[in-house]
Amino acid sequence: MLLIFLAMFSLNAVYAISGEEKLSYCGACDSALKYSFCNERLSKWIGIADSIRLGHNYENNWRLSVAKAWQLFRKAEYDSVAYMLDKEIKYMPADSSLVYQMSRAYHIAQLNKNLMRYSEASLSFEEMKVLAEKSGNIDYIAEAYWGLESIARITHDYELARQYLEKLMEALKGDSSYRIFRTYQYYAQNAIRRDDQFTARDYLKKCIGICKDSSIRIYNLPYELSWLYNQLGQVCNTLGNTKEGAHYYRESIVLSSKANMKQIMSDSYANLGIYYWKQEQYDSALFCLDQCLKHMTIPPDRNLLRISNYYLSAVYDSLGDYQKAYGYQKAYAAVLDSISNSEYRELYVQERTRFQTEQKDKELEVLAANIRMNKILLYSSIAFSALVIVIIVLLYRQNRLRSRQKLSQLQKQVSEARQEYLRKQMNPHFLFNTLNSIQYFMYNNDKIATNDYMSKFAMLIRKSLENSENTYTTIKDELDALKLYVELEQLRFKNKFNWELIVDEDIDVLQQKIPSMIIHPFVENAINHGLHFLSGNGKLRIELKQLDYRTIECVVEDNGIGREKAEEIKRLKSRNHQSMGTSMTRERLKILGDEFDHRLKVNYTDLFDANKRPIGTKVVIIMPVIN
């Protein structure tokens, strides 16, 4: 029993030690990630985490991999960092904890941003923002928006950067911490870049107010306040408030000198010296510009050195000391050359880094393509027999399809021949009806009307002959012929009726085509059988609507005597005459309907008033359109 108890105790002790070591491994990974900005501590904690992992065969996790990526970045091994991001870290499982998920997104975003892979960085910052909003973690929300703003700023999209900062300020409403201070500071800088100096001034003053509020803890307060005064001075100077700007430069110099912050102190001295030079206070200007050079950091800020030498040369030139003016001018030119060379060098390094990263990505793509090709070759032998069977089936179906197509083509040719025959019949029929109208004017000895009628008739003959040569004609040509015909009929009936033509805006009359002379017989019927015997003023409406991209609806509506009365009159006047126009058109529509899957039809509607008396006829023709 004692032996069993000791064995159980030993086993529990092993489990306890193992748990502690696992906890130590996770803690080491967290510490490595925490000190990613410090090379010495980063290397130390990566070494500790790796020794624990290898000693106990623990799995690698994303935190250790990201820490190693930072280590490689500090060593300027950018290709290796990009490879780790794309091929290792990207596919590692994330923790269940939202905090760890946000931390992962943050570090991946920062690495991509430092590698100048701004699209990937933006995606990670967006992911971080979504997770932060889900968890309600205001610190990560701020970091996500600051990250998105920084990428928009780097890519010179200052309007997008402004939108990100405004969204963050909305999220930080009621917040009184370092977060709102930093956001106001970024917003002021964004306003300066957008040349909105008034907004920049307001937000810089808000930042100064926050700095003076003892309830809000600002890290490195003297630095922040002196920087703000210097920026505010520059903004006031841009707005023309040079005296106010000089006051802020002096405030910045006092604060930065106490805290021994040479960079801001030099910058403020330079700005104040320029102010004095413009005010022609040359002694004060010399003092400030000399102080700028005296307190400049080592190595010096070359841009600040350039400005100082330039204005020192200008001051001595104004004082008439041309020897010193020339000396500072030479120094200015030398600094300018070094800045140009440095800028070119930085551009070269950036482009070289970008090129190497792209080359590495291409190599990885080629490698992935080779792997995919090997898989295809592996399975090709299995798929070959199935492919042969599919090809045989497809060939058999293709032969059947060709046979059906040949049969369909023959049927179409027969259909077109029948349409041609009917169209040739319709043309003489139409001419016969038109000549009847000319004969009417001649019998009435109306020479002017006869001449007008003949002119329009000649144009109509030409149009109808042109249209009759084609199975399909443009809607414009069809409507032009129709207008001429209706105008001729108006002359014939001495303007007994009015008419209107309405064409849907969606219809392209120049490009879309319809069967030629398809509307004419229905218009002819409306005039000769509906409006001709009407005692009052007649109305004719022709309207074309686009139903869909293959079909047009044509409405021919009149306020005539109605179909029943017209049939009765026709029987009394000409018992032996049979109208061919409408019957031939119906036959054509039937043939076209067979060709276009029965999408064509003609609907007649008899119109009645409230007392059931006929007040006209409405014909709706559904016809195909060719685009």
Side-chain angles (χ1 to χ4, degrees), residues 8 28 105 195 207 216 219 268 287 313 316 360 433 458 488 603:
M8 290 179 65
D195 200 26
C207 290
I216 300 175
Y219 175 74
S268 299
F287 173 78
S313 174
Y316 279 115
K360 194 71 176 179
N433 286 344
L488 287 171
N603 292 324

Side-chain angles (χ1 to χ4, degrees), residues 529 533 563-577:
H529 301 298
F533 301 104
R563 285 196 299 166
E564 186 177 346
K565 187 68 175 176
E567 286 293 330
E568 184 181 334
I569 293 171
K570 187 166 67 173
R571 284 197 300 271
L572 291 173
K573 291 190 70 175
S574 53
R575 295 178 183 274
N576 297 325
H577 173 71

Side-chain angles (χ1 to χ4, degrees), residues 490-502:
Q490 278 185 312
L491 284 172
R492 174 186 165 195
F493 291 115
K494 297 182 179 179
N495 291 319
K496 184 180 179 180
F497 66 91
N498 296 320
W499 78 293
E500 64 174 336
L501 175 64
I502 303 168

Side-chain angles (χ1 to χ4, degrees), residues 290-349:
D290 283 335
Q291 290 296 310
C292 171
L293 293 175
K294 179 181 176 182
H295 295 289
M296 201 169 284
T297 55
I298 299 175
D301 182 331
R302 282 175 296 183
N303 191 49
L304 191 57
L305 189 61
R306 173 184 64 84
I307 292 169
S308 300
N309 281 315
Y310 176 82
Y311 281 102
L312 278 167
S313 174
V315 171
Y316 279 115
D317 181 70
S318 300
L319 291 171
D321 191 342
Y322 300 115
Q323 184 176 358
K324 287 185 177 180
Y326 176 68
Y328 281 112
Q329 185 65 30
K330 284 178 65 177
Y332 162 75
V335 175
L336 193 63
D337 288 341
S338 70
I339 288 173
S340 300
N341 291 331
S342 175
E343 286 176 350
Y344 284 125
R345 192 183 306 112
E346 287 175 4
L347 285 171
Y348 169 73
V349 171

